Amino acid sequence: MPTFPAPDGTRLAFHVRGEGEPLIVLPDGPMRASAYLGNLGGLDAHRRLVLLDLRGTGESGVPADPATYRCDRLVDDVEALRIRLGLERMDLLAHSAGGSLALLYAARYPRRIARLALVTATPWALGWPATADDRRTAARMRASEPWFAEAFPAFEAWLDGSGDFDPVFVPFFHGRWDDTARAHADREEAETNDEAADVYGGDGAYDPEATRDALARLAAPVLVLAGGADGGPSPALARRTAGVFPHAECVVQPGAGHYPWLDDPEWFTRRVSAFFS
């Protein structure tokens, strides 16, 4: 397993899957080990995936200063990975909360981005969180599912702040609630650093106006991929995100949830590999 030092000396790890030109991948969670990404539905047949374990997750070391878990302070870890790989410019894919890290990286190091894909990316860095209404609307699309009647009241309670996160409504985050999705969801707690997640979006992490201004000058092409059944971000929020960039396209994967490579691997890999070809 290859490792490299972050600027503060924290030892960081990454995992390589596949052959060919490297595609750097930033994970979700926030602060979940990159193992949950697997091979992104077979994308490793088209590109050499370089999956970064963010500090304090997976095989990466725990930093001396927990404040360095904050999203903006992780940008230099991504830049250290680029240098470690010897890339002048890099193709970058980010999933969910990792999208905010990718947005901050692209804003700070625009000339280092060759192409950028944001997969069901949460645009907190742009000042646009997913709304409770977006999540409710997407959830109601699943009313015919056998688990809906039990899951929806708990989901509403979580959205309005009267209830805690409950595993009973995890199916809403998946386009298909099958054995593959269950196994994927069951690993989340063990793969996530909750302490780091609490710091990731803390005070001072984002400057949305400055980030939007910087990204409006990004020369690289951008793909924003949304799931048709995802409420966070909804397809409408994904289109709004794409509108920040001068050279972006937004695509919606039909029926997909927050992990689109699980819902329809063939559709996902075909569309993403075409963008990066």
Side-chain angles (χ1 to χ4, degrees):
M1 177 195 59
T3 65
F4 64 100
D8 67 351
T10 303
R11 180 62 55 173
L12 303 179
F14 61 92
H15 306 266
V16 179
R17 294 186 173 90
E19 303 292 336
E21 292 297 313
L23 172 59
I24 314 309
V25 183
L26 304 182
D28 175 32
M31 305 308 284
R32 184 174 178 180
S34 67
Y36 83 94
L37 294 161
N39 66 356
L40 285 173
L43 192 59
D44 62 337
H46 304 271
R47 296 293 296 264
R48 176 160 54 99
L49 305 181
V50 179
L51 310 172
L52 176 63
D53 279 340
L54 301 177
R55 55 179 54 216
T57 72
E59 302 298 327
S60 286
V62 174
D65 181 3
T68 61
Y69 289 135
R70 207 173 72 178
C71 186
D72 58 320
R73 295 177 178 173
L74 298 175
V75 170
D76 286 334
D77 291 355
V78 179
E79 175 64 358
L81 174 59
R82 181 194 67 80
I83 294 169
R84 163 65 172 80
L85 296 172
L87 300 173
E88 182 67 21
R89 297 194 305 158
M90 62 182 179
D91 287 341
L92 183 64
L93 182 150
H95 173 238
S96 191
S100 282
L101 176 54
L103 292 170
L104 295 185
Y105 180 86
R108 192 182 303 177
Y109 296 104
R111 296 182 180 178
R112 299 304 185 184
I113 298 288
R115 285 167 291 193
L116 171 64
L118 301 170
V119 175
T120 59
T122 312
W124 295 328
L126 303 178
W128 299 334
T131 68
D133 285 344
D134 284 345
R135 294 187 184 277
R136 287 191 190 95
T137 297
R140 290 191 180 103
M141 295 168 59
R142 315 295 295 282
S144 64
E145 302 276 359
W147 43 264
F148 179 87
E150 180 183 9
F152 190 69
F155 192 54
E156 283 210 296
W158 177 65
L159 291 174
D160 67 23
S162 63
D164 294 329
F165 189 93
D166 190 328
V168 73
F169 58 70
V170 168
F172 287 126
F173 297 95
H174 295 265
R176 295 187 308 181
W177 189 238
D178 55 14
D179 289 344
T180 297
R182 289 186 186 92
H184 189 267
D186 287 345
R187 300 198 308 268
E188 182 171 5
E189 183 175 358
E191 292 174 343
T192 302
N193 182 333
D194 290 329
E195 176 193 4
D198 289 341
V199 177
Y200 186 84
D203 290 344
Y206 308 124
D207 184 344
E209 184 175 355
T211 301
R212 292 194 299 266
D213 287 346
L215 295 176
R217 299 186 295 274
L218 185 70
V222 177
L223 174 69
V224 181
L225 189 151
D230 192 12
S234 66
L237 183 53
R239 285 189 285 269
R240 187 181 184 191
T241 299
V244 168
F245 303 95
H247 309 291
E249 58 177 321
C250 180
V251 298
V252 179
Q253 182 172 327
H258 202 60
Y259 306 92
W261 63 91
L262 298 179
D263 297 318
D264 189 341
E266 183 179 352
W267 194 103
F268 178 83
T269 56
R270 182 175 65 250
R271 189 63 186 84
V272 175
S273 64
F275 173 72
F276 282 115
S277 63

